[in-house]
Amino acid sequence: MSGGKHAARKLKRAQILLAADAGVSDAEIVRSVGVGGSTVYRTKRRFVLGNLEAALSEEPRPGSERKLTGKEEALLVATACSSPPAGRARWTLELLAEAIVKLTPHESLSRETVRRRLAESDLKPWRKDMWCIPQIDADYVARMEDVLDLYAEAPDPKRPVVCFDESPIQLIGEVRQPIPATPGQIERYDCEYRRNGTANLFVFLDAHRSWRKVKVTERRAAEDFAACMRDLVDIHYPRAERIRLVLDNLSTHSAGALYQAFPADEARRVKRRLEFHYVPKHASWLNMVEIEIGVLARQCLDRRIDGFARLVAETAAWEKRRNADRARVKWMFTTNKARAKMARAYPKPIIESGQVQRVKTSVPRY
């Protein structure tokens, strides 16, 4: 009773024994501990006939035997891990029960029996996770550490670090006017909607200060990317000597897009102010702007926006307020943490540091 964590029933039995040892009557124990008279009697009886552990512990409770044998349970697990029957996307408890009935002598099997046996093996065959396994090679590591080192640098107004990415969005309008909320009634809207086309969001985020910019466009072609780069150079960072840009490996994210959109001299002028740093393939989580796009989606875009003009106004209002609040992304993952956490995935160097490689050469004779 003095410390630790124990089951509630065990604590009540300990209180019963302590109260009985203090000379408290059974009726008073029933009232103070909050148990029945039979519980007090059984606890004291097990203590007298057995010992303290017998009085505090649970007695074996009678119950029916497990319906499935060990081999049948193994068959159930193997069936749940196999492909579902033709015409079904996934296994369900009912389907598994039917399959085991066909494969065993049992005439019937409840879905609860199937659920309990699967739970013991931590199996949920109706659930699936989608994930991507990146190929962590030398190129992956080089790009990852390059981006992480940029994030770890001290802020430099002449060489800012800007993260860039885009996100598509559907323009969805209402067919019927929603009913606003009233006391005791939540807002209601019709499930039917009208598709009004699509738009694209180009998002900039400064890695070292509380600044972000959302530009809404009708598409995300190479010309639109080039226009964003010129805005970044001429409007947002006119005094910067070099802008380090963190972006993904989309085909339009290249210097070639500048030459595709502008004359050669103009494209060269913009390119001289930019320095591209690409995150590894299948590693968009390394781009800090992905976090900001998630915040934008939750705070602003999680609703039906019916038109291009309204989308521009809503994203501008969100951007203005978030900049005014001086919101920032607190990046915690560093190069040292990457080397510690992903040590096994790092490629093994062929030549260890500090060792001199000797190469045998032969000089031909003439």
Side-chain angles (χ1 to χ4, degrees), residues 169 198-202 215-221 224 308:
I169 182 174
T198 60
N200 179 69
L201 303 176
F202 286 112
K215 182 177 180 180
V216 184
T217 60
E218 296 181 353
R219 55 180 188 168
R220 57 171 186 175
D224 302 295
F308 189 87

Side-chain angles (χ1 to χ4, degrees), residues 1 8-47 52 55-56:
M1 295 295 297
R9 291 181 178 180
K10 193 171 187 178
L11 292 175
K12 285 185 177 294
R13 296 188 189 104
Q15 292 173 344
I16 291 172
L17 294 178
L18 289 175
D21 181 65
V24 181
S25 64
D26 289 359
E28 183 63 22
I29 294 175
V30 169
R31 188 191 64 81
S32 60
V33 180
V35 294
S38 59
T39 301
V40 176
Y41 171 77
R42 287 195 304 269
T43 303
K44 295 167 69 175
R45 182 174 183 273
R46 287 201 301 269
F47 178 76
L52 177 61
L56 294 177

Side-chain angles (χ1 to χ4, degrees), residues 60 95 132 144 157 175 197 203 205-206 210 243 289:
L95 281 177
C132 179
M144 177 182 68
V175 177
V203 184
L205 177 72
D206 195 305
S210 56
I243 302 172
V289 76

Side-chain angles (χ1 to χ4, degrees), residues 178-345:
I179 302 175
T182 58
Q185 181 66 57
I186 62 175
E187 181 184 3
R188 289 169 290 175
Y189 64 96
D190 197 276
C191 62
E192 188 177 0
Y193 60 88
R194 181 184 296 108
R195 295 189 62 183
N196 296 331
T198 60
N200 179 69
L201 303 176
F202 286 112
V203 184
F204 300 93
L205 177 72
D206 195 305
H208 293 134
R209 66 186 181 98
S210 56
W211 176 85
R212 73 271 303 138
K213 177 65 180 177
V214 181
K215 182 177 180 180
V216 184
T217 60
E218 296 181 353
R219 55 180 188 168
R220 57 171 186 175
E223 295 82 0
D224 302 295
F225 171 77
C228 286
M229 295 300 101
R230 185 161 63 177
D231 290 346
L232 184 66
V233 167
D234 295 339
I235 299 176
H236 305 308
Y237 291 90
R239 299 181 180 178
E241 297 176 355
R242 195 82 167 175
I243 302 172
R244 276 88 58 83
L245 199 67
V246 178
L247 64 172
D248 59 20
N249 297 271
L250 195 65
S251 59
T252 56
H253 295 174
S254 65
L258 300 175
Y259 286 88
Q260 184 177 342
F262 307 133
D265 56 345
E266 176 68 4
R268 186 61 178 169
R269 182 189 69 83
V270 176
K271 177 62 179 68
R272 285 176 176 173
R273 299 274 307 282
L274 297 174
E275 183 179 301
F276 293 153
H277 295 262
Y278 295 99
V279 298
K281 293 182 179 180
H282 307 300
S284 59
W285 57 273
L286 279 169
N287 198 341
M288 196 182 294
V289 76
E290 292 286 348
I291 301 175
E292 194 69 15
I293 291 176
V295 177
L296 171 63
R298 291 193 304 271
Q299 295 183 351
C300 179
L301 305 178
D302 190 17
R303 52 180 164 163
R304 293 177 179 177
I305 300 178
D306 56 357
F308 189 87
R310 185 186 173 198
L311 178 63
V312 172
E314 294 291 344
T315 54
W318 175 86
E319 170 197 313
K320 181 179 179 180
R321 179 163 186 172
R322 191 155 172 82
N323 285 335
D325 292 341
R326 304 187 66 79
R328 288 195 51 189
V329 175
K330 188 177 181 181
W331 189 263
M332 305 293 291
F333 196 63
T334 62
T335 301
N336 292 334
K337 290 183 179 180
R339 293 177 180 177
K341 190 172 183 179
M342 304 170 62
R344 293 183 179 180

